Amino acid sequence: MTDDSVHVASVQPGERTVLFTSPLSRDAWTGPTEIPVPGAGGPHPTADLKVAGSRAWMVVTNRGQEAARLVDGTWTPWKLPCGGNGPADWHALSEKRLVALCGRVGPYSDGGTTTRLMTSTDGGVTFTETGQLSPTLTADAALIAADATHLVAAVGERLLTSTDGGETWTVGYTAPDRNWRELSGEFVTETNGFVILARPGSTQLATTMLTTRDAGATWTPVAFD
């Protein structure tokens, strides 16, 4: 979603990736617009769309990852950062600045040994490593951005916070045990945000919600009656 429009990406039968758009002020959808990115091979593809100003980026994830980006009104294939099985998570902070978490374990690992942040300042054309989050690879990692300076990363059972755009990280919260993982999270203002952690069990999925009012420096569990 942008300031004045809603965008919905979909992978349809035949591995066709399409985009629908409507103004926020009324129900007036246009599309589908064909996007030059295949369904990444597999039965359950998902499409992730990020929009910043006049530019947009789309990643289709299934058995692998494929991507495209919109520049000057034209969609073209986009080479993802990280290599291998692609970024664990990524964000477009502006038309030029993108950040991505790299270092996932898996059958298509990029050969790295650490979980790290990659940053682009040219709209995703090139990426350079700008921060280390963990000395080992991780299967579960997510990135939540308050703004270009304040970032939060959920790496395994820990929430890490950066106040310098990802160059350095500190631990803001550690779950009671290593089985907790980030389920969803978002900043609703530049300082206020939430993260929902999940712990799979034998009979049900346990969840806990954490909130922050200082851009991720501290976190408070929310009690539900």
Side-chain angles (χ1 to χ4, degrees), residues 16 46 48 56 96 114 119 125 138 159 166 176 184 190 197 222:
R16 292 175 57 245
T46 60
D48 184 16
K96 295 293 186 69
T114 63
T119 300
V125 178
T138 180
L159 296 182
S184 65
E190 291 184 351
L197 300 178
V222 176

Side-chain angles (χ1 to χ4, degrees), residues 19 26 53 59 72 78 85 130-131 150 158 167 179 200 205 215:
L19 180 67
R26 63 185 189 280
V59 176
D72 297 330
W78 176 37
N85 56 0
T130 53
H150 297 86
R158 298 179 302 155
E167 293 185 17
N179 293 319
L205 184 71

